[in-house]
Amino acid sequence: MNAPNTPTAPLEGLRVLDLATLFAGPLAATLLGDFGAEVVKVEHPRRPDPSRGHGPAKDGIGLWWKLLGRNKRTMTLDLSSPGGREVLLELAAGADVVVENFRPGTLERWGLGWDQLSAVNPRLVLARVTAFGQFGPYAHRPGFGTLAEAMSGFAAVTGEPDGPPTLPPFGLADSIAALATAYAVMAALSGRERTGRGQVVDLAIIEPILTVLGPQPLWYDQLGYVQPRTGNRSRNNAPRNTYRTSDGHWVAVSTSAQSVAERVMRLVGRPELIDEPWFAAGTTRAEHADELDEAVGHWIARRTRDEAVSAFEKAEAAIAPVHDVRDVMEDPQYRALDSVTEVDDPELGPLRMQNVLFRLSETPGAIRWTGRPHGADTEEILTELGFVPSRIAALRAEGAL
């Protein structure tokens, strides 16, 4: 169970307005909230964040939202209405960060663009997270992380050589973009400490995933090299693959380091291959992947998963079991790290979900609460802002809340 938030949380006092939906922007706000930021999730009164309805539900309550909405207070606001605009400007006046992912020009159309927001709060950081960025020929297209996975080159290098390009079955590009957005926000806040002024973060989801794909543009620029699909193999080293064990499980082996590659071949009874001239470098080992895979695969196929992992561990060679989520929940390393932790939820009781992203020795993060119901904190937030009941009632009558 996570400890409650403490005064030492590193981002305590940071105020964040999360106006975004599905998924990069909201996850970036979650990451900030995990380390103490006060995050207010602003949702449309009649169209909640679609993540509330994504994926499996229990008792009619979407489970994904319990993760994505954790450490956020929730309020409803129709930003396109006059009353909603006024409320948002008042909220922004006291905020440090606004995260949004509307198509470029939408906030401007509502009278909530950077000029208006920075006028009420010159120290504000506005994080704009869109598929293609704020300018360019695609800027106004609708887009999701799937398109970034396709456009970035990720899908083109993923899958078997004779198979189709393969998309991930989860929000990979969105998640990478969320990490990049949280980093960008912290960089902008650091800059504010020197200049006294906020700024706009323009993050295109198609870019962070391009960065994590490595030197592909450099290879192409200098060599005309286009990385092909290689399945589980790598063009940079071998053996590197997944191998089936005698009890029907799978394990993954990596030999990025030369010393590890040598240990693997000694372990599987093929030390003579180490003396081959081509074994001295990862790229030339990769040219002999068939021979190396046959040696490693044959050895692993005659052992159970536990036997193979234990032998590799003793040999100081790199191996890992291929887990599904059932294995993850029971893995002793994840348990030791408390990577999946238990949190109490008022609606569903104890829940297990991913813990905060990393551990800080002096100012740790914490899961203070899980995703809250749609609009649960609207009146409390407006009251804290100084709104009297009659004004709140008028906003409700207008449809702004």
Side-chain angles (χ1 to χ4, degrees):
M1 175 71 69
N2 276 40
N5 192 39
T6 69
T8 59
L11 299 184
E12 184 167 347
L14 189 73
R15 297 177 180 176
V16 179
L17 299 178
D18 174 10
L19 315 184
T21 60
L22 287 180
F23 283 100
L27 180 55
T30 301
L31 297 174
L32 298 174
D34 283 351
F35 287 89
E38 178 191 336
V39 182
V40 173
K41 173 72 176 182
V42 179
E43 299 175 82
H44 193 280
R46 294 163 293 281
R47 295 190 298 275
D49 188 317
S51 66
R52 291 181 180 273
H54 264 56
K58 181 180 179 182
D59 299 335
I61 300 169
L63 295 175
W64 202 330
W65 170 252
K66 291 298 180 182
L67 175 67
L68 192 63
R70 73 187 190 191
N71 293 334
K72 300 178 184 181
R73 293 198 291 168
T74 65
M75 69 174 297
T76 57
L77 202 59
D78 182 353
L79 301 180
S80 67
S81 69
R85 175 184 182 275
E86 292 176 11
V87 174
L88 197 280
L89 288 174
E90 292 190 47
L91 287 166
D96 297 286
V97 180
V98 172
V99 182
E100 66 97 0
N101 70 340
F102 300 104
R103 288 197 216 178
T106 301
L107 282 185
E108 286 75 9
R109 188 171 70 250
W110 294 337
L112 292 169
W114 174 240
D115 290 344
Q116 291 80 17
L117 292 172
S118 61
V120 300
N121 184 355
R123 290 175 56 81
L124 186 70
V125 171
L126 174 61
R128 315 195 77 165
V129 186
T130 56
F132 305 110
Q134 294 296 308
F135 57 91
Y138 303 163
H140 292 277
R141 290 182 181 179
F144 299 97
T146 297
L147 306 190
E149 290 147 9
M151 284 183 58
S152 63
F154 172 84
V157 300
T158 304
E160 294 299 324
D162 57 351
T166 301
L167 296 166
F170 65 98
L172 177 64
D174 277 314
S175 299
I176 297 171
L179 293 166
T181 301
Y183 168 61
V185 165
M186 298 311 297
L189 291 171
S190 179
R192 186 180 74 174
E193 293 304 304
R194 294 192 298 276
T195 67
R197 300 187 307 276
Q199 59 185 299
V200 176
V201 172
D202 176 9
L203 189 134
I205 297 172
I206 60 172
E207 291 184 304
I209 189 170
L210 180 61
T211 295
V212 303
L213 281 168
Q216 288 191 38
L218 180 61
W219 286 338
Y220 180 74
D221 176 65
Q222 295 297 303
L223 303 172
Y225 175 73
V226 178
Q227 183 175 335
R229 286 191 292 282
T230 56
N232 291 322
R233 288 180 173 178
S234 169
R235 288 294 180 96
N236 303 315
N237 65 80
R240 192 263 199 184
N241 214 324
T242 58
Y243 307 93
R244 193 178 182 95
T245 62
S246 65
D247 53 350
H249 295 288
W250 291 86
V251 293
V253 171
S254 176
T255 57
S256 296
Q258 180 69 22
S259 59
V260 172
E262 293 174 4
R263 291 175 199 150
V264 169
M265 300 323 296
R266 292 190 185 100
L267 173 65
V268 302
R270 297 296 302 276
E272 74 281 2
L273 294 178
I274 299 172
D275 297 325
E276 295 287 346
W278 50 261
F279 199 88
T283 52
T284 49
R285 290 202 311 274
E287 295 171 0
H288 295 261
D290 286 343
E291 184 175 2
L292 295 172
D293 273 346
E294 193 281 330
V296 175
H298 180 72
W299 186 91
I300 288 176
R302 292 182 286 116
R303 288 159 176 83
T304 67
R305 178 178 63 181
D306 289 347
E307 289 170 345
V309 170
S310 177
F312 266 70
E313 183 177 356
K314 289 178 182 177
E316 297 185 5
I319 192 172
V322 176
H323 281 344
D324 64 19
V325 68
R326 294 168 295 188
D327 301 310
V328 169
M329 301 293 265
E330 301 301 326
D331 186 279
Q333 183 62 32
Y334 280 129
R335 282 181 174 269
L337 296 174
D338 196 27
S339 303
V340 178
T341 196
E342 186 174 286
V343 190
D344 285 326
D345 179 75
E347 296 179 289
L348 297 175
L351 302 177
R352 286 192 290 171
M353 64 173 62
Q354 296 96 317
N355 208 336
V356 299
L357 197 58
F358 47 83
R359 287 160 292 282
L360 296 178
S361 62
E362 300 298 325
T363 56
I367 303 173
R368 291 164 283 161
W369 61 83
T370 55
R372 291 174 54 70
H374 181 230
D377 306 293
T378 301
E379 295 206 12
E380 180 183 63
I381 292 168
L382 294 178
T383 300
E384 291 171 358
L385 204 58
F387 285 35
V388 296
S390 59
R391 188 178 177 190
I392 295 175
L395 287 166
R396 288 201 183 278
E398 179 191 328
L401 301 181

